[in-house]
Structures are given as structure tokens and as C-alpha cells.
Amino acid sequence: MRDSLGEILLKQGAITEEQLREALALQKTRSLPLGKLLLEIQACPEAPIAKALAKQARMPFVNLEGKVPPAKYTNLLDGSAAWELEAIPVAEKEGVIVVAVADPEKVVVSDTLSFLLDGEVTLALTTPTALRVALEKTYGTETGDESPEFQSDSGETEDSPVVRLVNRMYEEAVGARASDIHIEPFASKVRVRYRVDGDLILAAEHPIDLHPAIISHLKVSAGLDIAEKRKPQDGRIEHRAGGRDLDVRVSVLPTNHGESVVMRLLDREANLLSLSDLGMGEETLAWFKDVIDRPNGIFLVTGPTGSGKTTTLYAALQTLNRPHRKILTVEDPVEYRIKGINQVQVQPKIGLNFARVLRAFLRQAPNVVLVGEIRDKETAEVAIQASLTGHLVFSTVHTNDAPSAVTRLLDMGVPPFLVATSLQGVLAQRLLRRLCSKCKQEETPTPLEADILGLSPGDKVTHPKGCPYCNRSGYRGRIGSFEYLGMNDALREALFQSADGAKFHQIARESGAWVPLSIDVKRKVHAGMTTCSEMLRVTKIQTHEQSSSLT
């Protein structure tokens, strides 16, 4: 564990215990970094504080007081970018450019500096005053002038800085196993974040001058209108990065500081899983295989956006994909292409919606049909009619649990008797972060964990630790967690009697047709696959004390 700034300064004799206590007491009401507070109470000069910060952050320290870095290094960086990033090149060691900054947190801009300087970069810490003086002597006073290198909205070549920056973004995202890239403009910077295992991590921060050029390049690549900056736009890019062919879905959204972009990275082959790879328990997997092996009926998968519904349905289609079966899918958009399956993408602009494509499908005599999502009554009724005429139909809806999928169809206006006669089952799912296999460790549970999991004295739970393999997060990859609802006579009778949503939930629970998500999640926690905190994130769990107070 690293020493705190105060401990380092005490060991160096730069401050006294009394001065440290005074600064810490002041910090409780001021919410400022300890170093700034020590300067404010005149406990210590800038240089010892900067050296201590450098030691704490394991960065080299460079003394710029009264010095101007050589022009052969400072000329490598544009003045506006230097002021924006609060950084200045000062030296070169073994081909690596040394850049001075005054804040250890500036490590997030090292990628930006590497791109702008077109070489490998290492950061060194200096004092804020010395850095500002060096910037003024080198580049003049701070200015908001745009760098002409990034003003052009078009005409980028493969070697242009913007193209290199975007390509590097793709490469880094693939290397980090990211599912999305978020590019977000703010008043003075552009923030780039990657979504890895469901969590967003900060990847880089760039000068705001770069934003128009980045957005224009992405819009051109996605076939979007670069002149339209007031309306949301959606597009698609095919790109190769990290040795993989990516299908990049691009969403552009106007915000108060400019257009924000989210790019979903789809690697068709890498993301296709078999049924056994989904993470289902033996009981759930046996039920799932039984349902998808039926000759007709409709089967629904439900859960929030990004919970893996499409991956689950594609795993089912791969299992059913045999030469004697004709399988058709209608999606928005087609996410992964599967050999031997006919896939259609909806085109709302020309009236080619889910319901219209589905009606056309029925004239193609398919055995299995996948409808990407049931969004309205028309699509729901056509899908149900298809399931009643000898077709096995798969689809998704957005609800919180399996029984709610039934009430969602009823809310759309689908007659209860149609749901009762056609629906075969509902699978609801979430994604849990999987504990890193290389660093997870068994430890004594907290009182809350022991209560929630019903542990006995001496039992252990698995906790995350963090290592280079998992990028210090303690987690690597994700695993599905599932609940299912199998339609039985009691539920069908309830629908024939037009039971409301609350009554349907009650009957589903009492009849044993609904196996809740909490059961599967607890099993995965006990098995050391994930943690109690992940369980609490995705499902509502009652403690044993709460359960007993209700009985």
C-alpha cells in the first residue's frame, strides 16, 4: 500500500504533525487536495509537495524553476494544446519524450500527448508555478486559438492525425475487450471512455479542438450527414482492428457542448456462444433445451438493454441450425451473421417494419423465426399467429422479470387467450461480472454477506483482489444469470380468466412455474464465480432477518 502524501512529507521532515493535523481538519470543510491546503496554510513550499506527489504516484520529478526547456522539444507540441493539456515537453531519453505536468492525475492524457507528439511519452512531475512560467516563456500567454491542424471537417487521409487517433482508439478498445466506445464533448475537453465488462473506464482526454475533426471523420465513415448537427443520427462502420473484422454501430447525439458519439463494437464470430457457454445452471439449461426443441409456439427472452438477450437467442439458433430446418430472422439491426440462416434488417424509412417482414416470412415456409424485438401490438399479434400455425418463434421484450413479459403483451392489447395458447416460456437474464480467475481469493464474509447468503460460521466467500490480468479491477469477463417461467395449466387458466399482473405474478410463484433470478445468482456467488456486491446490483435480495419478519 502506498504512503499518503502527509506520511511522505512527515518522513521527509517537510512538515510537522501539527501542520498535518491542521491541514486535515481544514480538508473536512474545504474539499481541496491536501497539497493545496498545506500551501494555503504556508506549511510547506511547492517543491517538497511536488516531489512527495511524484514519489506517491511513482513518477519522476523535474525541476523547471528558472528554466526554459529546449526548443527542439517544445516545438513538437502546439501552444494551444500545451496550455489545454497543461503539459510541456522537456527532454528525450532513449527515444522516449519526457513531458512535464503539475498534476499526477494527468496520466490520463498520456495517450493524447503520444498522439500529438507522434512518439512514446513518459510524464514527469513539476511544480504548478514552474510549469506555468515555462509555458508562458515558451508559448506566450494562454490562448484559446484553434490549432489549424484540426480545423478541417473533411479531406482526411489515412496518415492524417485524426485518422490515426481514431484508429488507435479502435485498437485500444479491442485490446481492452471493450463493447462500446463513448466520445463525449465538454467545455474544454473531449472525454473518451470504453465500456469493459459493463463498466465505463476512462481511456483518454483530448483538447476540445479535436472534437469537430473526430466527429466529422466518424460521420463520413458511417455514411451520416456531417452538416446535420441538430438531430440524432445512426450509422454503421466496417473496420478491422486488432486482427478482427468489426461491425461498428454508431449513434450520434447532439448535446450542449457538441455531438456525443457512442460506438458499439460487434465482433460477430467472437461473440457467438454455444448454449453451454451461456452460464445456465443444469436445471435452467435442461428447461431451455426442452422449450426450443418444441415444433411450434412463441418463446420470449427479456431483460434490460445490454443484458445479453441477443447472444442467448443466437445460441439457440445455432443449436437449431440444421440442414433440414429453414430459419429466418428479422432484426434492427442484424448484429451477427450466421451461416445457413436468412437474416433481414428492418428499414422503417420504406415501411419495412417487423410486422411487415414477419408476414412476408410466413410465405417462405420457415420452421423457426426470430423477431428481434416485439415493440407493438401489430408485431406481437403477427408473431403469435405465426406460432399458432406451426412455427417456432423467438423474440425479446424489455421487462424486469419473466412474468412481466406476459403482462407486457397484455398491456400492448394482445388478447389473453392468444398469449395463453401460444406462449411456451419466458427466460429473463442479467449479466454479472465474473471474478478474475488469477487473483480471486477466499475470505471471511462480512455480516451482511453471511446474512444474505445464509452462511454458517467458518464459511468463506470469494472476493476480488486485482492483478494485471484483470486491469486491477478484480473482475474479467461476464457470465449470464437467468430466471425462467414455464407456462403450466394454472397460468394458462389465469390468463383465460384475465388475471391482472399482480395476480399472475402470485400464481406463477405459488405454482412453481417461475424460478426467480435470485436463486441462480446466489448459486453463482456460492460457487465463487461472482460476488455478493454483483448480486445486489442486479437483483433484490432479502436478508434472513427481513424474510423472518414477514412470516
Side-chain angles (χ1 to χ4, degrees):
M1 183 179 294
R2 298 182 186 180
D3 288 341
S4 67
L5 177 64
E7 290 172 336
I8 294 173
L9 289 170
L10 282 174
K11 289 178 181 179
Q12 293 176 346
I15 60 173
T16 64
E17 289 273 6
E18 184 179 351
Q19 289 170 327
L20 178 58
R21 283 196 296 270
E22 182 182 353
L24 290 173
L26 195 60
Q27 194 176 40
K28 292 180 180 178
T29 59
R30 296 289 301 280
S31 298
L32 286 174
L34 181 62
K36 289 187 177 181
L37 292 172
L38 288 169
L39 285 172
E40 189 174 302
I41 65 174
Q42 298 182 349
C44 186
E46 272 190 327
I49 292 174
K51 290 178 181 177
L53 285 170
K55 183 176 181 180
Q56 185 186 37
R58 297 176 183 173
M59 296 171 62
F61 175 80
V62 58
N63 183 10
L64 286 183
E65 191 170 351
K67 301 176 182 177
V68 177
K72 65 178 180 178
Y73 303 127
T74 58
N75 287 343
L76 297 173
L77 188 61
D78 180 77
S80 61
W83 275 110
E84 183 69 41
L85 298 172
E86 295 179 327
I88 186 169
V90 295
E92 183 177 358
K93 291 185 178 180
E94 298 178 355
V96 179
I97 302 171
V98 180
V99 180
V101 295
D103 184 353
E105 305 243 340
K106 285 290 182 181
V107 292
V108 298
V109 302
S110 60
D111 285 342
T112 305
L113 287 165
S114 180
F115 157 68
L116 293 174
L117 297 172
D118 197 20
E120 190 177 346
V121 165
T122 185
L123 299 186
L125 214 59
T126 190
T127 64
T129 301
L131 176 65
R132 177 166 286 275
V133 170
L135 286 170
E136 288 177 352
K137 288 182 177 179
T138 303
Y139 302 110
T141 57
E142 187 171 359
T143 175
D145 293 342
E146 259 189 282
S147 172
E149 186 177 13
F150 301 112
Q151 287 180 358
S152 175
D153 275 355
S154 61
E156 298 101 338
T157 67
E158 285 301 312
D159 293 326
S160 72
V162 170
V163 174
R164 293 203 312 270
L165 176 61
V166 172
N167 288 343
R168 179 181 297 179
M169 205 181 296
Y170 285 129
E171 294 286 342
E172 288 180 351
V174 170
R177 301 178 297 107
S179 59
D180 304 84
I181 299 173
H182 293 246
I183 303 172
E184 303 157 317
F186 294 96
S188 61
K189 63 185 179 182
V190 180
R191 182 173 68 181
V192 178
R193 296 190 291 175
Y194 303 150
R195 188 176 293 280
V196 181
D197 295 337
D199 284 347
L200 284 170
I201 60 172
L202 182 62
E205 290 182 345
H206 303 301
I208 193 62
D209 296 344
L210 288 171
H211 180 254
I214 293 173
I215 300 302
S216 295
H217 172 66
L218 292 174
K219 280 184 172 182
V220 170
S221 300
L224 303 179
D225 183 358
I226 63 172
E228 179 56 73
K229 300 180 181 181
R230 300 166 300 169
K231 298 178 182 178
Q233 297 188 70
D234 296 308
R236 183 174 172 179
I237 300 171
E238 291 187 358
H239 188 83
R240 184 167 181 83
R244 301 177 184 177
D245 290 320
L246 300 177
D247 185 4
V248 184
R249 285 161 47 185
V250 181
S251 172
V252 180
L253 178 71
T255 70
N256 58 334
H257 290 299
E259 292 173 293
S260 173
V261 175
V262 176
M263 296 186 288
R264 169 67 60 87
L265 309 180
L266 298 173
D267 182 352
R268 299 187 187 94
E269 294 182 4
N271 285 278
L272 292 179
L273 302 178
S274 65
L275 287 181
S276 58
D277 294 329
L278 294 174
M280 293 183 183
E282 292 182 7
E283 181 183 343
T284 307
L285 184 58
W287 173 85
F288 188 59
K289 286 180 176 178
D290 175 66
V291 170
I292 67 174
D293 201 39
R294 296 175 188 178
N296 54 60
I298 186 167
F299 173 77
L300 299 176
V301 177
T302 184
T305 301
S307 60
K309 299 185 296 295
T310 302
T311 300
T312 297
L313 287 176
Y314 274 34
L317 292 185
Q318 286 195 108
T319 302
L320 298 174
N321 190 12
R322 299 292 182 269
H324 66 277
R325 287 194 183 99
K326 185 176 180 67
I327 301 176
L328 299 174
T329 77
V330 52
E331 305 166 66
D332 183 21
V334 174
E335 293 194 11
Y336 309 112
R337 295 168 187 167
I338 308 176
K339 292 181 180 179
I341 293 180
N342 298 283
Q343 298 171 270
V344 176
Q345 179 165 324
V346 298
Q347 302 284 349
K349 291 181 180 179
I350 60 173
L352 196 65
N353 56 22
F354 281 113
R356 184 172 179 181
V357 176
L358 192 50
R359 288 193 183 95
F361 274 2
L362 300 184
R363 295 191 289 272
Q364 295 278 318
N367 302 104
V368 180
V369 173
L370 167 65
V371 183
E373 183 183 347
I374 293 179
R375 299 174 179 172
D376 50 49
K377 179 183 178 182
E378 183 183 16
T379 304
E381 288 190 335
V382 176
I384 288 174
Q385 290 292 347
S387 71
L388 292 173
T389 54
H391 307 87
L392 181 60
V393 179
F394 296 109
S395 192
T396 70
V397 291
H398 285 93
T399 61
N400 289 326
D401 55 37
S404 296
V406 176
T407 55
R408 178 81 178 98
L409 294 177
L410 300 180
D411 291 340
M412 288 181 187
V414 179
F417 73 89
L418 281 181
V419 179
T421 52
S422 63
L423 186 62
Q424 298 297 320
V426 182
L427 184 78
Q429 65 182 75
R430 298 289 191 278
L431 288 178
L432 301 165
R433 287 188 298 168
R434 188 195 293 265
L435 278 165
C436 175
S437 60
K438 296 187 181 297
C439 67
K440 65 180 181 179
Q441 55 188 14
E442 288 191 343
E443 295 178 349
T444 302
T446 65
L448 179 62
E449 288 174 328
D451 190 20
I452 291 175
L453 299 173
L455 301 176
S456 303
D459 286 348
K460 300 287 187 180
V461 293
T462 311
H463 285 160
K465 183 180 179 183
C467 67
Y469 182 66
C470 61
N471 199 25
R472 305 293 175 187
S473 68
Y475 299 91
R476 184 178 173 92
R478 290 189 286 179
I479 188 171
S481 187
F482 305 88
E483 71 175 27
Y484 64 89
L485 173 74
M487 294 297 291
N488 58 20
D489 292 340
L491 292 179
R492 297 187 196 280
E493 183 61 30
L495 287 173
F496 281 125
Q497 295 178 6
S498 299
D500 60 23
K503 183 68 174 177
F504 187 84
H505 273 74
Q506 180 183 348
I507 296 172
R509 184 180 290 106
E510 292 175 351
S511 66
W514 176 27
V515 181
L517 183 71
S518 58
I519 293 176
D520 186 46
V521 181
K522 280 187 177 181
R523 286 173 181 165
K524 288 180 167 62
V525 175
H526 280 292
M529 298 179 185
T530 189
T531 60
C532 197
S533 61
E534 280 293 285
M535 175 177 67
L536 293 173
R537 183 176 64 84
V538 302
T539 185
K540 182 179 179 181
I541 302 289
Q542 288 186 334
T543 65
H544 284 268
E545 289 181 4
Q546 291 172 324
S547 299
S548 60
S549 67
L550 296 175
T551 56

